[in-house]
């Protein structure tokens, strides 16, 4: 415990109002939030407060120039009821990679982790107990200089908010290969950062795909519109002729923590899992040859989202039924099993929440 995090507890918990069997995603927030300010070159006054609105100046720079980054992670309960985090240090490192790319101050990893443990520990009753359910955790940082003019801000705010989410049983998703728009992931761009603006740029193509009857966009590289990058807000995996492939991290792809975990799980189990450039034409050829066995998205929200079909130009690739998907199901079962404690964690990925790291005010 290095940073004396000041805690002001809520007088009015909203926990009893929540139906854990029916939680709308992204709309329910737990009782407390963590806040720390950056000014005069330092992070100051780390605190946990009752969750609530705050005021912001109309010229706050994040609102104009998009200097804003975030993370998405989950805490869950093991089968014996202990709150656990999944690879929290990876999220601390990734938010700092994002911060560097957007010319924002890094948040010390120890402060990020201490805040996370203190907040999740305090609101641990908000973690739904059912396997697959979790407390979604949203750390974020934004530029807070009250200034009009393009330059890096000197003042920032960093928050962590959380909210319970139910078990996520997504139906298989259909994809439209986009040959016109990229997700800001242009060469040398911000695709590898979790920058708010990347998501804003993805909204129009996603809306157009939905209007055509598809759930999500398959993003190609923006130079040649040839190589697969990601799908929606997930990394993507292909199983072709018994081998697993995922696009290599090329600077435009977000380095997903689920992606990394799945690659490690497959390799440990002796399967060949390759990271390399994969062209959409190669995928189409594999499909025509009857060798495209599985396609799935990987990310914190669903862990694995199977893909049902892919529309590419005039071609519609219809994939085998979910019952026939060996690799995607294995990855999902392993990660859920690790989170619940059913599968022994040999990687050090599961970190018990240590709620005694902060001091009461
Ligand atoms: C664009 C994008 N790609 C991939 C991912 C998956 O990353 P992770 O597995 O760390 O959730 C996410 C979600 O954070 C994302 O927003």
């Amino acid at each position: 415990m290095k940073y004396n995090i000041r805690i002001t507890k809520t007088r009015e918990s909203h926990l009893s109002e929540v139906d854990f069997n029916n939680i709308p995603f992204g709309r329910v927030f737990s009782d407390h939030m963590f806040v720390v300010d950056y000014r005069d070159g330092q992070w100051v006054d780390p605190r946990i407060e009752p969750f609530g609105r705050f005021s912001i100046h109309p010229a706050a720079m994040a609102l104009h120039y998009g200097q804003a980054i975030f993370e998405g992670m989950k805490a869950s309960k093991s089968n014996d009821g202990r709150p656990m985090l999944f690879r929290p240090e990876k999220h601390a490192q990734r938010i700092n990679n994002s911060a560097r790319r957007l010319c924002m101050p890094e948040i010390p990893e120890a402060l990020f982790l201490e805040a996370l443990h203190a907040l999740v520990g305090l609101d641990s009753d908000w973690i739904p107990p059912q396997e697959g359910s979790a407390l979604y955790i949203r750390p974020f940082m934004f530029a807070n200089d009250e200034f009009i003019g393009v330059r890096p801000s000197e003042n920032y705010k960093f928050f962590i908010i959380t909210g319970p989410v139910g078990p996520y049983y997504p139906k298989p998703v259909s994809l439209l290969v986009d040959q016109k728009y990229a997700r800001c992931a242009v060469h040398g761009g911000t695709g590898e950062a979790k920058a708010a603006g990347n998501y804003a740029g993805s909204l129009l193509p996603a809306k157009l795909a939905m209007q055509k009857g598809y759930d999500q966009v398959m993003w190609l590289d923006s130079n040649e519109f040839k190589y697969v990058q990601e799908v929606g807000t997930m990394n993507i995996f292909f199983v072709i002729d018994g081998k697993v492939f995922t696009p290599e991290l090329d600077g435009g792809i977000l380095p997903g923590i689920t992606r990394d975990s799945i690659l490690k799980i497959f390799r440990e189990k002796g399967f060949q899992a390759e990271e390399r450039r994969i062209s959409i034409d190669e995928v189409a050829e594999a499909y025509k040859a009857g060798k495209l066995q599985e396609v799935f998205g990987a990310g914190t929200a669903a862990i694995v989202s199977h893909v049902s079909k892919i529309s590419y130009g005039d071609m519609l690739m219809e994939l085998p039924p979910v019952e026939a998907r060996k690799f995607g199901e294995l990855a999902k079962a392993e990660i859920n099993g690790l989170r619940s404690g059913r599968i022994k964690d040999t990687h050090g990925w599961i970190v018990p929440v240590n709620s005694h790291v902060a001091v009461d005010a």
Side-chain angles (χ1 to χ4, degrees):
M1 188 179 48
K2 186 170 157 204
Y3 299 89
N4 279 339
I5 298 176
R6 191 164 49 84
I7 299 184
T8 311
K9 287 187 187 161
T10 183
R11 296 215 185 115
E12 240 185 298
S13 172
H14 295 282
L15 186 56
S16 61
E17 295 160 23
V18 180
D19 173 6
F20 271 177
N21 294 315
N22 183 18
I23 317 170
F25 188 92
R27 291 190 188 279
V28 180
F29 300 98
S30 25
D31 282 333
H32 298 92
M33 61 187 184
F34 172 80
V35 195
V36 62
D37 300 307
Y38 186 84
R39 53 177 178 263
D40 300 327
Q42 301 190 57
W43 290 104
V44 291
D45 195 15
R47 57 208 185 268
I48 288 175
E49 299 176 342
F51 183 90
R53 294 190 174 82
F54 61 96
S55 70
I56 189 166
H57 192 278
M61 288 183 75
L63 301 179
H64 302 265
Y65 310 112
Q67 241 191 327
I69 54 176
F70 66 99
E71 269 304 312
M73 53 193 297
K74 281 177 173 175
S76 46
K77 274 191 179 150
S78 60
N79 284 347
D80 56 7
R82 285 178 302 144
M84 305 283 182
L85 299 164
F86 187 74
R87 308 189 77 183
E89 73 296 340
K90 285 273 164 207
H91 291 275
Q93 290 155 11
R94 190 168 67 184
I95 202 164
N96 282 333
N97 291 340
S98 301
R100 280 192 295 275
R101 179 62 185 83
L102 271 85
C103 211
M104 299 168 86
E106 291 182 35
I107 177 120
E109 194 171 318
L111 174 57
F112 181 100
L113 295 175
E114 196 172 314
L116 198 60
H117 280 274
L119 183 68
V120 176
L122 184 61
D123 279 343
S124 61
D125 288 347
W126 283 82
I127 308 175
Q130 305 92 327
E131 183 166 327
S133 302
L135 188 72
Y136 186 79
I137 304 171
R138 168 54 57 88
F140 62 101
M141 190 199 299
F142 64 88
N144 203 25
D145 270 14
E146 299 164 0
F147 176 71
I148 296 291
V150 179
R151 59 149 175 78
S153 179
E154 287 167 3
N155 292 275
Y156 295 85
K157 269 186 179 298
F158 173 85
F159 281 72
I160 307 178
I161 57 174
T162 72
V165 291
Y168 201 77
Y169 301 120
K171 67 172 182 51
V173 291
S174 57
L175 304 179
L176 180 70
V177 177
D178 205 310
Q179 294 175 277
K180 179 175 177 193
Y181 292 108
R183 55 167 287 275
C184 301
V186 294
H187 203 68
T190 56
E192 141 181 270
K194 222 165 150 52
N198 291 352
Y199 297 81
S202 73
L203 297 177
L204 175 65
K207 182 174 153 187
L208 296 175
M210 274 187 226
Q211 281 170 356
K212 290 187 184 152
Y214 294 89
D215 298 312
Q216 292 185 18
V217 171
M218 183 188 278
W219 307 103
L220 301 181
D221 77 283
S222 59
N223 289 342
E224 300 175 74
F225 283 90
K226 190 171 168 190
Y227 296 100
V228 179
Q229 287 202 313
E230 302 201 43
V231 41
T233 56
M234 295 182 286
N235 296 112
I236 186 156
F237 283 80
F238 298 95
V239 182
I240 299 175
D241 209 11
K243 291 192 200 113
V244 180
F245 299 93
T246 191
E248 67 188 1
L249 299 175
D250 63 354
I253 292 175
L254 190 82
I257 291 156
T258 316
R259 173 190 181 278
D260 182 74
S261 309
I262 290 178
L263 281 172
K264 290 200 166 86
I265 288 168
F266 284 156
R267 287 171 183 160
E268 267 174 21
K269 295 200 176 293
F271 300 117
Q272 207 174 321
E274 230 181 279
E275 296 168 78
R276 66 162 169 81
R277 288 217 294 189
I278 301 163
S279 74
I280 185 65
D281 288 326
E282 177 184 348
V283 175
E285 286 309 315
Y287 177 76
K288 280 190 227 151
K291 292 182 177 169
L292 183 61
Q293 293 156 317
E294 293 185 37
V295 182
F296 60 88
T300 295
I303 304 176
V304 161
S305 271
H306 294 291
V307 172
S308 55
K309 53 185 177 180
I310 304 172
S311 164
Y312 170 45
D314 297 335
M315 188 176 180
L316 186 65
M317 300 178 231
E318 293 191 84
L319 285 127
V322 167
E323 300 72 62
R325 315 270 183 114
K326 176 174 134 193
F327 286 91
E329 285 300 293
L330 173 86
K332 189 163 34 173
E334 281 286 318
I335 294 183
N336 273 332
L338 285 167
R339 284 179 167 283
S340 67
R342 252 188 313 105
I343 295 177
K344 190 169 155 26
D345 173 26
T346 53
H347 309 94
W349 290 348
I350 305 294
V351 178
V353 172
N354 174 4
S355 53
H356 305 297
V357 290
V359 190
D360 264 287

